[in-house]
PDB file of all heavy atoms in Angstrom:
ATOM      1  N   HIS E  15     -11.358  36.324  88.959  1.00 85.00           N
ATOM      2  CA  HIS E  15     -10.763  35.020  88.663  1.00 85.00           C
ATOM      3  C   HIS E  15     -10.059  35.035  87.313  1.00 85.00           C
ATOM      4  O   HIS E  15      -8.995  34.426  87.148  1.00 85.00           O
ATOM      5  CB  HIS E  15     -11.808  33.908  88.719  1.00 85.00           C
ATOM      6  CG  HIS E  15     -12.287  33.645  90.117  1.00 85.00           C
ATOM      7  ND1 HIS E  15     -11.480  33.137  91.103  1.00 85.00           N
ATOM      8  CD2 HIS E  15     -13.489  33.852  90.695  1.00 85.00           C
ATOM      9  CE1 HIS E  15     -12.149  33.039  92.229  1.00 85.00           C
ATOM     10  NE2 HIS E  15     -13.383  33.470  92.017  1.00 85.00           N
ATOM     11  N   SER E  16     -10.615  35.734  86.359  1.00 86.00           N
ATOM     12  CA  SER E  16     -10.002  35.844  85.039  1.00 86.00           C
ATOM     13  C   SER E  16      -8.657  36.570  85.127  1.00 86.00           C
ATOM     14  O   SER E  16      -7.680  36.151  84.508  1.00 86.00           O
ATOM     15  CB  SER E  16     -10.945  36.589  84.092  1.00 86.00           C
ATOM     16  OG  SER E  16     -10.296  36.853  82.882  1.00 86.00           O
ATOM     17  N   SER E  17      -8.598  37.633  85.895  1.00 82.00           N
ATOM     18  CA  SER E  17      -7.358  38.408  86.003  1.00 82.00           C
ATOM     19  C   SER E  17      -6.293  37.660  86.794  1.00 82.00           C
ATOM     20  O   SER E  17      -5.108  37.902  86.611  1.00 82.00           O
ATOM     21  CB  SER E  17      -7.616  39.766  86.637  1.00 82.00           C
ATOM     22  OG  SER E  17      -7.872  39.625  88.016  1.00 82.00           O
ATOM     23  N   ARG E  18      -6.697  36.759  87.644  1.00 73.00           N
ATOM     24  CA  ARG E  18      -5.754  36.002  88.464  1.00 73.00           C
ATOM     25  C   ARG E  18      -5.311  34.713  87.794  1.00 73.00           C
ATOM     26  O   ARG E  18      -4.454  34.019  88.318  1.00 73.00           O
ATOM     27  CB  ARG E  18      -6.399  35.645  89.805  1.00 73.00           C
ATOM     28  CG  ARG E  18      -6.657  36.867  90.660  1.00 73.00           C
ATOM     29  CD  ARG E  18      -7.033  36.467  92.043  1.00 73.00           C
ATOM     30  NE  ARG E  18      -5.902  35.758  92.633  1.00 73.00           N
ATOM     31  CZ  ARG E  18      -6.025  34.856  93.588  1.00 73.00           C
ATOM     32  NH1 ARG E  18      -7.194  34.530  94.050  1.00 73.00           N
ATOM     33  NH2 ARG E  18      -4.971  34.257  94.082  1.00 73.00           N
ATOM     34  N   GLY E  19      -5.856  34.395  86.647  1.00 66.00           N
ATOM     35  CA  GLY E  19      -5.618  33.125  85.975  1.00 66.00           C
ATOM     36  C   GLY E  19      -4.208  32.599  86.045  1.00 66.00           C
ATOM     37  O   GLY E  19      -3.981  31.435  86.365  1.00 66.00           O
ATOM     38  N   ALA E  20      -3.215  33.428  85.757  1.00 55.00           N
ATOM     39  CA  ALA E  20      -1.825  32.970  85.732  1.00 55.00           C
ATOM     40  C   ALA E  20      -1.299  32.656  87.134  1.00 55.00           C
ATOM     41  O   ALA E  20      -0.376  31.874  87.281  1.00 55.00           O
ATOM     42  CB  ALA E  20      -0.943  34.025  85.075  1.00 55.00           C
ATOM     43  N   ASN E  21      -1.883  33.244  88.152  1.00 57.00           N
ATOM     44  CA  ASN E  21      -1.382  33.051  89.512  1.00 57.00           C
ATOM     45  C   ASN E  21      -2.000  31.863  90.227  1.00 57.00           C
ATOM     46  O   ASN E  21      -1.473  31.402  91.217  1.00 57.00           O
ATOM     47  CB  ASN E  21      -1.641  34.313  90.350  1.00 57.00           C
ATOM     48  CG  ASN E  21      -0.879  35.492  89.820  1.00 57.00           C
ATOM     49  OD1 ASN E  21       0.207  35.349  89.287  1.00 57.00           O
ATOM     50  ND2 ASN E  21      -1.460  36.674  89.950  1.00 57.00           N
ATOM     51  N   VAL E  22      -3.132  31.396  89.740  1.00 57.00           N
ATOM     52  CA  VAL E  22      -3.831  30.299  90.410  1.00 57.00           C
ATOM     53  C   VAL E  22      -2.998  29.030  90.308  1.00 57.00           C
ATOM     54  O   VAL E  22      -2.473  28.692  89.259  1.00 57.00           O
ATOM     55  CB  VAL E  22      -5.232  30.093  89.798  1.00 57.00           C
ATOM     56  CG1 VAL E  22      -5.909  28.874  90.406  1.00 57.00           C
ATOM     57  CG2 VAL E  22      -6.081  31.333  90.003  1.00 57.00           C
ATOM     58  N   GLY E  23      -2.872  28.336  91.434  1.00 58.00           N
ATOM     59  CA  GLY E  23      -2.135  27.073  91.440  1.00 58.00           C
ATOM     60  C   GLY E  23      -0.634  27.261  91.407  1.00 58.00           C
ATOM     61  O   GLY E  23       0.091  26.344  91.072  1.00 58.00           O
ATOM     62  N   SER E  24      -0.150  28.417  91.767  1.00 62.00           N
ATOM     63  CA  SER E  24       1.284  28.684  91.757  1.00 62.00           C
ATOM     64  C   SER E  24       1.999  27.736  92.715  1.00 62.00           C
ATOM     65  O   SER E  24       1.482  27.375  93.762  1.00 62.00           O
ATOM     66  CB  SER E  24       1.534  30.133  92.172  1.00 62.00           C
ATOM     67  OG  SER E  24       2.918  30.344  92.368  1.00 62.00           O
ATOM     68  N   ASP E  25       3.205  27.342  92.337  1.00 69.00           N
ATOM     69  CA  ASP E  25       4.016  26.488  93.192  1.00 69.00           C
ATOM     70  C   ASP E  25       4.689  27.287  94.310  1.00 69.00           C
ATOM     71  O   ASP E  25       5.332  26.716  95.172  1.00 69.00           O
ATOM     72  CB  ASP E  25       5.093  25.778  92.372  1.00 69.00           C
ATOM     73  CG  ASP E  25       4.504  24.721  91.456  1.00 69.00           C
ATOM     74  OD1 ASP E  25       3.415  24.200  91.769  1.00 69.00           O
ATOM     75  OD2 ASP E  25       5.124  24.426  90.421  1.00 69.00           O
ATOM     76  N   ASN E  26       4.550  28.600  94.286  1.00 73.00           N
ATOM     77  CA  ASN E  26       5.162  29.468  95.294  1.00 73.00           C
ATOM     78  C   ASN E  26       4.079  30.066  96.183  1.00 73.00           C
ATOM     79  O   ASN E  26       3.568  31.146  95.899  1.00 73.00           O
ATOM     80  CB  ASN E  26       5.959  30.589  94.622  1.00 73.00           C
ATOM     81  CG  ASN E  26       7.082  30.054  93.760  1.00 73.00           C
ATOM     82  OD1 ASN E  26       7.748  29.111  94.152  1.00 73.00           O
ATOM     83  ND2 ASN E  26       7.274  30.649  92.599  1.00 73.00           N
ATOM     84  N   PRO E  27       3.733  29.389  97.282  1.00 73.00           N
ATOM     85  CA  PRO E  27       2.705  29.934  98.168  1.00 73.00           C
ATOM     86  C   PRO E  27       3.193  31.238  98.798  1.00 73.00           C
ATOM     87  O   PRO E  27       4.401  31.431  98.978  1.00 73.00           O
ATOM     88  CB  PRO E  27       2.511  28.850  99.223  1.00 73.00           C
ATOM     89  CG  PRO E  27       3.764  28.054  99.189  1.00 73.00           C
ATOM     90  CD  PRO E  27       4.307  28.156  97.787  1.00 73.00           C
ATOM     91  N   PRO E  28       2.285  32.131  99.142  1.00 73.00           N
ATOM     92  CA  PRO E  28       2.697  33.409  99.738  1.00 73.00           C
ATOM     93  C   PRO E  28       3.316  33.200 101.114  1.00 73.00           C
ATOM     94  O   PRO E  28       2.973  32.270 101.831  1.00 73.00           O
ATOM     95  CB  PRO E  28       1.379  34.190  99.849  1.00 73.00           C
ATOM     96  CG  PRO E  28       0.320  33.139  99.856  1.00 73.00           C
ATOM     97  CD  PRO E  28       0.849  32.003  99.033  1.00 73.00           C
ATOM     98  N   ASP E  29       4.234  34.082 101.454  1.00 74.00           N
ATOM     99  CA  ASP E  29       4.864  34.043 102.768  1.00 74.00           C
ATOM    100  C   ASP E  29       3.852  34.550 103.787  1.00 74.00           C
ATOM    101  O   ASP E  29       3.416  35.693 103.726  1.00 74.00           O
ATOM    102  CB  ASP E  29       6.106  34.917 102.775  1.00 74.00           C
ATOM    103  CG  ASP E  29       6.807  34.932 104.120  1.00 74.00           C
ATOM    104  OD1 ASP E  29       6.409  34.159 105.024  1.00 74.00           O
ATOM    105  OD2 ASP E  29       7.756  35.720 104.270  1.00 74.00           O
ATOM    106  N   MET E  30       3.462  33.710 104.719  1.00 72.00           N
ATOM    107  CA  MET E  30       2.476  34.080 105.721  1.00 72.00           C
ATOM    108  C   MET E  30       3.136  34.614 106.998  1.00 72.00           C
ATOM    109  O   MET E  30       2.457  34.861 107.983  1.00 72.00           O
ATOM    110  CB  MET E  30       1.593  32.867 106.059  1.00 72.00           C
ATOM    111  CG  MET E  30       0.824  32.326 104.867  1.00 72.00           C
ATOM    112  SD  MET E  30      -0.282  33.527 104.137  1.00 72.00           S
ATOM    113  CE  MET E  30      -1.581  33.525 105.337  1.00 72.00           C
ATOM    114  N   GLY E  31       4.431  34.786 106.964  1.00 78.00           N
ATOM    115  CA  GLY E  31       5.125  35.304 108.136  1.00 78.00           C
ATOM    116  C   GLY E  31       5.391  34.215 109.159  1.00 78.00           C
ATOM    117  O   GLY E  31       5.082  33.043 108.956  1.00 78.00           O
ATOM    118  N   GLU E  32       5.970  34.630 110.240  1.00 82.00           N
ATOM    119  CA  GLU E  32       6.325  33.705 111.311  1.00 82.00           C
ATOM    120  C   GLU E  32       5.069  33.127 111.957  1.00 82.00           C
ATOM    121  O   GLU E  32       4.109  33.840 112.217  1.00 82.00           O
ATOM    122  CB  GLU E  32       7.143  34.459 112.358  1.00 82.00           C
ATOM    123  CG  GLU E  32       7.636  33.612 113.482  1.00 82.00           C
ATOM    124  CD  GLU E  32       8.400  34.427 114.526  1.00 82.00           C
ATOM    125  OE1 GLU E  32       8.598  35.627 114.325  1.00 82.00           O
ATOM    126  OE2 GLU E  32       8.775  33.830 115.537  1.00 82.00           O
ATOM    127  N   ASP E  33       5.099  31.841 112.221  1.00 82.00           N
ATOM    128  CA  ASP E  33       3.978  31.165 112.871  1.00 82.00           C
ATOM    129  C   ASP E  33       4.191  31.206 114.381  1.00 82.00           C
ATOM    130  O   ASP E  33       5.284  30.911 114.874  1.00 82.00           O
ATOM    131  CB  ASP E  33       3.907  29.713 112.390  1.00 82.00           C
ATOM    132  CG  ASP E  33       2.663  29.002 112.890  1.00 82.00           C
ATOM    133  OD1 ASP E  33       1.659  29.677 113.176  1.00 82.00           O
ATOM    134  OD2 ASP E  33       2.702  27.760 112.998  1.00 82.00           O
ATOM    135  N   PHE E  34       3.168  31.645 115.093  1.00 83.00           N
ATOM    136  CA  PHE E  34       3.221  31.641 116.554  1.00 83.00           C
ATOM    137  C   PHE E  34       1.806  31.506 117.090  1.00 83.00           C
ATOM    138  O   PHE E  34       0.836  31.628 116.363  1.00 83.00           O
ATOM    139  CB  PHE E  34       3.923  32.882 117.109  1.00 83.00           C
ATOM    140  CG  PHE E  34       3.270  34.177 116.733  1.00 83.00           C
ATOM    141  CD1 PHE E  34       2.309  34.754 117.546  1.00 83.00           C
ATOM    142  CD2 PHE E  34       3.621  34.828 115.563  1.00 83.00           C
ATOM    143  CE1 PHE E  34       1.703  35.952 117.193  1.00 83.00           C
ATOM    144  CE2 PHE E  34       3.025  36.025 115.204  1.00 83.00           C
ATOM    145  CZ  PHE E  34       2.065  36.590 116.025  1.00 83.00           C
ATOM    146  N   ASP E  35       1.705  31.250 118.378  1.00 83.00           N
ATOM    147  CA  ASP E  35       0.423  30.970 119.012  1.00 83.00           C
ATOM    148  C   ASP E  35      -0.258  32.263 119.460  1.00 83.00           C
ATOM    149  O   ASP E  35       0.137  32.881 120.446  1.00 83.00           O
ATOM    150  CB  ASP E  35       0.640  30.041 120.207  1.00 83.00           C
ATOM    151  CG  ASP E  35      -0.649  29.587 120.858  1.00 83.00           C
ATOM    152  OD1 ASP E  35      -1.738  30.027 120.422  1.00 83.00           O
ATOM    153  OD2 ASP E  35      -0.570  28.772 121.800  1.00 83.00           O
ATOM    154  N   PHE E  36      -1.292  32.669 118.738  1.00 81.00           N
ATOM    155  CA  PHE E  36      -2.037  33.887 119.065  1.00 81.00           C
ATOM    156  C   PHE E  36      -2.792  33.751 120.383  1.00 81.00           C
ATOM    157  O   PHE E  36      -3.214  34.744 120.958  1.00 81.00           O
ATOM    158  CB  PHE E  36      -3.045  34.215 117.953  1.00 81.00           C
ATOM    159  CG  PHE E  36      -2.410  34.765 116.712  1.00 81.00           C
ATOM    160  CD1 PHE E  36      -2.006  33.919 115.695  1.00 81.00           C
ATOM    161  CD2 PHE E  36      -2.227  36.121 116.560  1.00 81.00           C
ATOM    162  CE1 PHE E  36      -1.429  34.419 114.538  1.00 81.00           C
ATOM    163  CE2 PHE E  36      -1.649  36.641 115.413  1.00 81.00           C
ATOM    164  CZ  PHE E  36      -1.247  35.783 114.404  1.00 81.00           C
ATOM    165  N   ASP E  37      -2.990  32.544 120.842  1.00 83.00           N
ATOM    166  CA  ASP E  37      -3.723  32.308 122.090  1.00 83.00           C
ATOM    167  C   ASP E  37      -2.811  32.261 123.318  1.00 83.00           C
ATOM    168  O   ASP E  37      -3.284  32.083 124.429  1.00 83.00           O
ATOM    169  CB  ASP E  37      -4.528  31.008 121.999  1.00 83.00           C
ATOM    170  CG  ASP E  37      -5.624  31.103 120.949  1.00 83.00           C
ATOM    171  OD1 ASP E  37      -6.245  32.180 120.838  1.00 83.00           O
ATOM    172  OD2 ASP E  37      -5.849  30.108 120.238  1.00 83.00           O
ATOM    173  N   ASP E  38      -1.522  32.424 123.106  1.00 88.00           N
ATOM    174  CA  ASP E  38      -0.556  32.417 124.197  1.00 88.00           C
ATOM    175  C   ASP E  38      -0.393  33.860 124.697  1.00 88.00           C
ATOM    176  O   ASP E  38       0.262  34.688 124.065  1.00 88.00           O
ATOM    177  CB  ASP E  38       0.779  31.857 123.704  1.00 88.00           C
ATOM    178  CG  ASP E  38       1.847  31.796 124.780  1.00 88.00           C
ATOM    179  OD1 ASP E  38       1.761  32.536 125.781  1.00 88.00           O
ATOM    180  OD2 ASP E  38       2.786  31.004 124.607  1.00 88.00           O
ATOM    181  N   ASN E  39      -1.008  34.160 125.847  1.00 89.00           N
ATOM    182  CA  ASN E  39      -0.986  35.529 126.374  1.00 89.00           C
ATOM    183  C   ASN E  39       0.425  36.050 126.615  1.00 89.00           C
ATOM    184  O   ASN E  39       0.701  37.229 126.386  1.00 89.00           O
ATOM    185  CB  ASN E  39      -1.818  35.622 127.645  1.00 89.00           C
ATOM    186  CG  ASN E  39      -3.301  35.501 127.359  1.00 89.00           C
ATOM    187  OD1 ASN E  39      -3.746  35.522 126.210  1.00 89.00           O
ATOM    188  ND2 ASN E  39      -4.084  35.367 128.406  1.00 89.00           N
ATOM    189  N   ASP E  40       1.321  35.200 127.088  1.00 93.00           N
ATOM    190  CA  ASP E  40       2.700  35.634 127.321  1.00 93.00           C
ATOM    191  C   ASP E  40       3.366  36.023 125.998  1.00 93.00           C
ATOM    192  O   ASP E  40       4.106  37.015 125.936  1.00 93.00           O
ATOM    193  CB  ASP E  40       3.506  34.548 128.024  1.00 93.00           C
ATOM    194  CG  ASP E  40       3.064  34.349 129.469  1.00 93.00           C
ATOM    195  OD1 ASP E  40       2.511  35.311 130.061  1.00 93.00           O
ATOM    196  OD2 ASP E  40       3.261  33.236 129.996  1.00 93.00           O
ATOM    197  N   GLU E  41       3.101  35.244 124.964  1.00 92.00           N
ATOM    198  CA  GLU E  41       3.655  35.550 123.640  1.00 92.00           C
ATOM    199  C   GLU E  41       3.100  36.881 123.122  1.00 92.00           C
ATOM    200  O   GLU E  41       3.828  37.695 122.550  1.00 92.00           O
ATOM    201  CB  GLU E  41       3.337  34.414 122.660  1.00 92.00           C
ATOM    202  CG  GLU E  41       3.916  34.600 121.282  1.00 92.00           C
ATOM    203  CD  GLU E  41       5.423  34.430 121.235  1.00 92.00           C
ATOM    204  OE1 GLU E  41       6.023  33.953 122.214  1.00 92.00           O
ATOM    205  OE2 GLU E  41       6.013  34.780 120.201  1.00 92.00           O
ATOM    206  N   MET E  42       1.828  37.103 123.332  1.00 91.00           N
ATOM    207  CA  MET E  42       1.213  38.362 122.889  1.00 91.00           C
ATOM    208  C   MET E  42       1.784  39.548 123.667  1.00 91.00           C
ATOM    209  O   MET E  42       2.038  40.603 123.091  1.00 91.00           O
ATOM    210  CB  MET E  42      -0.304  38.320 123.061  1.00 91.00           C
ATOM    211  CG  MET E  42      -1.005  37.361 122.114  1.00 91.00           C
ATOM    212  SD  MET E  42      -0.812  37.822 120.371  1.00 91.00           S
ATOM    213  CE  MET E  42       0.576  36.823 119.883  1.00 91.00           C
ATOM    214  N   ARG E  43       2.009  39.375 124.953  1.00 93.00           N
ATOM    215  CA  ARG E  43       2.615  40.448 125.751  1.00 93.00           C
ATOM    216  C   ARG E  43       4.021  40.763 125.265  1.00 93.00           C
ATOM    217  O   ARG E  43       4.442  41.921 125.259  1.00 93.00           O
ATOM    218  CB  ARG E  43       2.635  40.074 127.229  1.00 93.00           C
ATOM    219  CG  ARG E  43       1.274  40.163 127.883  1.00 93.00           C
ATOM    220  CD  ARG E  43       1.345  39.857 129.387  1.00 93.00           C
ATOM    221  NE  ARG E  43       0.028  39.924 129.978  1.00 93.00           N
ATOM    222  CZ  ARG E  43      -0.789  38.881 130.117  1.00 93.00           C
ATOM    223  NH1 ARG E  43      -0.403  37.677 129.735  1.00 93.00           N
ATOM    224  NH2 ARG E  43      -1.976  39.050 130.651  1.00 93.00           N
ATOM    225  N   ARG E  44       4.753  39.738 124.875  1.00 94.00           N
ATOM    226  CA  ARG E  44       6.117  39.942 124.369  1.00 94.00           C
ATOM    227  C   ARG E  44       6.093  40.646 123.013  1.00 94.00           C
ATOM    228  O   ARG E  44       6.856  41.572 122.774  1.00 94.00           O
ATOM    229  CB  ARG E  44       6.838  38.588 124.249  1.00 94.00           C
ATOM    230  CG  ARG E  44       8.313  38.718 123.865  1.00 94.00           C
ATOM    231  CD  ARG E  44       8.991  37.368 123.769  1.00 94.00           C
ATOM    232  NE  ARG E  44       8.545  36.564 122.648  1.00 94.00           N
ATOM    233  CZ  ARG E  44       8.889  36.781 121.381  1.00 94.00           C
ATOM    234  NH1 ARG E  44       9.649  37.801 121.057  1.00 94.00           N
ATOM    235  NH2 ARG E  44       8.464  35.981 120.424  1.00 94.00           N
ATOM    236  N   ARG E  45       5.205  40.223 122.126  1.00 93.00           N
ATOM    237  CA  ARG E  45       5.163  40.774 120.772  1.00 93.00           C
ATOM    238  C   ARG E  45       4.462  42.128 120.691  1.00 93.00           C
ATOM    239  O   ARG E  45       4.774  42.932 119.825  1.00 93.00           O
ATOM    240  CB  ARG E  45       4.462  39.795 119.835  1.00 93.00           C
ATOM    241  CG  ARG E  45       5.272  38.551 119.556  1.00 93.00           C
ATOM    242  CD  ARG E  45       4.492  37.595 118.668  1.00 93.00           C
ATOM    243  NE  ARG E  45       5.272  36.431 118.361  1.00 93.00           N
ATOM    244  CZ  ARG E  45       6.096  36.322 117.329  1.00 93.00           C
ATOM    245  NH1 ARG E  45       6.230  37.315 116.478  1.00 93.00           N
ATOM    246  NH2 ARG E  45       6.772  35.215 117.124  1.00 93.00           N
TER     247      ARG E  45
END
């Protein structure tokens, strides 16, 4: 936590990638 001090509460959230439905079997077959 001490080493991360400057990064905590950043206004730039990390890019979590494209959002899609992991429970959609057809989508999983495509990806």
Side-chain angles (χ1 to χ4, degrees):
H15 290 294
S16 172
S17 73
R18 293 191 63 207
N21 296 328
V22 175
S24 171
D25 290 334
N26 299 319
D29 179 7
M30 300 300 285
E32 183 182 356
D33 187 25
F34 60 92
D35 185 357
F36 286 90
D37 295 321
D38 181 338
N39 289 350
D40 290 335
E41 183 71 12
M42 291 297 95
R43 286 183 181 92
R44 186 179 69 75
R45 290 177 178 271

